[in-house]
Amino acid sequence: MLYMIGLGLGDERDITVKGLEAVKICKSVYIEAYTSLLSFGLSSDGLSKMEKLYGKQITVADREMVEERADEILLEAREVDVAFLVVGDPFGATTHTDFVVRAKKMGLEVKVMHNASVMNAIGICGLQLYRYGEAVSIPFFTETWRPYSFYEKIQENRRLGLHTLCLLDIRVKEPSWESLCRGKKCYEPPKYMTIHTAISQLLEVEHARGESDSGKAYDEDTKCVGLARLGCDDQMVVSGTMKELQEVDFGAPLHCLVIVGQTHPSEEEMLDFYSIKSMENGKSTRPDGE
């Protein structure tokens, strides 16, 4: 049996009771370590906390293991119960869907334990989930690679009056270009896109692609919501214009950004609670009021 188990967004305690029960009966337990991360990352201390709570030794499955050696995990699941832990929900990334498809093609039985993900936790900002259009991913720009493919999706969402969730790039255990050229992999330090970087890149793309004032998808005065560390005790939610959000210190990763579409009065009330003005007046940007 292959168990796909969502861990939620906060820390090791966010696993569901059903998910924890499944982990405890499995012979091998893997945790996927590159599409997202828990509040403590995957440090040795963080991993030991998980192992103590779950009562199992946990193997960290990086991108190379999942994409290049997935069959090893699946072949193991033919013989024993295997748990594959995923931050958020198991189907929050297409990589995991592909993993399940490969398992089913091998005749494996797969059980899924769902959990919270950014796709539903984003509702904390007050914008209704059914009013979101297609989500987009914002990759890190480099000197030679500056893809603009997400722009048309944002533009279409804005035309329809829909909100856009922007998922910001995470680069974990990425080989450097120089090392690949030498034929020996050396990995770059982990890198997590900030809201500041995302907005700067978005404005760069708008400047390059916006045809006219009427054709723009957004500008620095467009209302957005910046969110950091969703699901954690110190999560942060701030609404304001793109220009205003660039002045806010959102702290540690992970970050995401929502470009606001047309709003209902009830949505406006929630956005006002999280506004820059409310923050300056000492009101909390956290829902627990602390």
Side-chain angles (χ1 to χ4, degrees), residues 21 38 44 52 55 85 110 122 128 145 156 162 173-174 181 184 191 201 205 239 241 264 275:
E21 289 174 347
L38 295 172
S44 57
K52 182 178 180 180
L85 310 181
V110 180
I122 198 71
Q128 298 300 313
W145 190 64
E156 179 64 9
L162 302 176
K173 202 175 180 182
E174 294 284 343
C181 291
K184 184 178 180 180
K191 189 177 181 183
Q201 292 188 179
V205 175
S239 69
T241 65
H264 185 273
S275 69

Side-chain angles (χ1 to χ4, degrees), residues 64 171 173-180 185-188:
E64 289 180 3
R171 298 182 65 82
K173 202 175 180 182
E174 294 284 343
S176 65
W177 178 251
E178 294 80 6
S179 70
L180 289 175
K185 287 184 179 179
C186 290
Y187 299 102
E188 298 177 344

Side-chain angles (χ1 to χ4, degrees), residues 219-267:
D219 58 30
E220 65 177 14
D221 294 320
T222 297
K223 184 177 289 186
C224 295
V225 184
L227 304 100
R229 301 172 301 283
L230 269 176
C232 300
D233 291 338
D234 64 342
Q235 73 177 5
M236 190 171 179
V237 184
V238 184
S239 69
T241 65
M242 286 189 172
K243 183 177 181 179
E244 289 173 333
L245 293 185
Q246 284 187 304
E247 303 301 317
V248 177
D249 180 6
F250 284 92
L254 294 172
H255 295 185
C256 62
L257 180 73
V258 176
I259 301 174
V260 180
Q262 294 176 6
T263 52
H264 185 273
S266 64
E267 293 177 305

Side-chain angles (χ1 to χ4, degrees), residues 23-217:
V23 169
K24 288 182 178 296
I25 66 171
C26 286
K27 179 74 171 178
S28 296
V29 181
Y30 297 86
I31 181 168
E32 182 268 303
Y34 65 90
T35 62
S36 190
L37 79 163
L38 295 172
S39 59
F40 50 70
L42 280 176
S43 63
S44 57
D45 287 344
L47 199 59
S48 65
K49 285 182 180 180
M50 294 184 72
E51 291 178 335
K52 182 178 180 180
L53 177 62
Y54 299 170
K56 292 287 182 177
Q57 182 178 346
I58 300 173
T59 301
V60 176
D62 59 20
R63 180 187 294 272
E64 289 180 3
M65 176 179 282
V66 176
E67 293 186 350
E68 298 175 14
R69 296 162 48 204
D71 286 348
E72 295 178 18
I73 300 174
L74 298 177
L75 287 171
E76 184 179 10
R78 272 184 164 178
E79 306 297 328
V80 297
D81 290 332
V82 173
F84 191 79
L85 310 181
V86 178
V87 177
D89 186 82
F91 293 113
T94 54
T95 297
H96 307 139
T97 304
D98 177 67
F99 193 63
V100 171
V101 168
R102 293 170 70 172
K104 288 183 175 294
K105 285 183 177 180
M106 290 176 63
L108 286 172
E109 187 175 354
V110 180
K111 283 193 176 181
V112 178
M113 305 338 191
H114 293 287
N115 210 320
S117 76
V118 65
M119 303 301 287
N120 56 15
I122 198 71
I124 188 65
C125 72
L127 298 175
Q128 298 300 313
L129 294 178
Y130 65 85
R131 293 293 299 163
Y132 280 79
E134 184 174 356
V136 301
S137 296
I138 310 295
F140 278 112
F141 286 176
T142 68
E143 292 183 3
T144 58
W145 190 64
R146 309 179 89 78
Y148 294 173
S149 57
F150 54 81
Y151 180 80
E152 286 79 9
K153 297 176 183 178
I154 298 173
Q155 193 173 47
E156 179 64 9
N157 287 345
R158 296 278 290 169
R159 185 185 70 80
L160 296 172
L162 302 176
H163 314 308
T164 305
L165 171 59
C166 301
L167 302 172
L168 310 188
D169 203 1
I170 298 172
R171 298 182 65 82
V172 179
K173 202 175 180 182
E174 294 284 343
S176 65
W177 178 251
E178 294 80 6
S179 70
L180 289 175
C181 291
R182 297 191 188 101
K184 184 178 180 180
K185 287 184 179 179
C186 290
Y187 299 102
E188 298 177 344
K191 189 177 181 183
Y192 308 99
M193 184 179 289
T194 64
I195 289 166
H196 298 170
T197 297
I199 291 174
S200 295
Q201 292 188 179
L202 284 164
L203 292 175
E204 175 188 321
V205 175
E206 179 55 72
H207 180 74
R209 295 294 300 271
E211 299 173 354
S212 64
D213 287 341
S214 61
K216 287 182 177 179

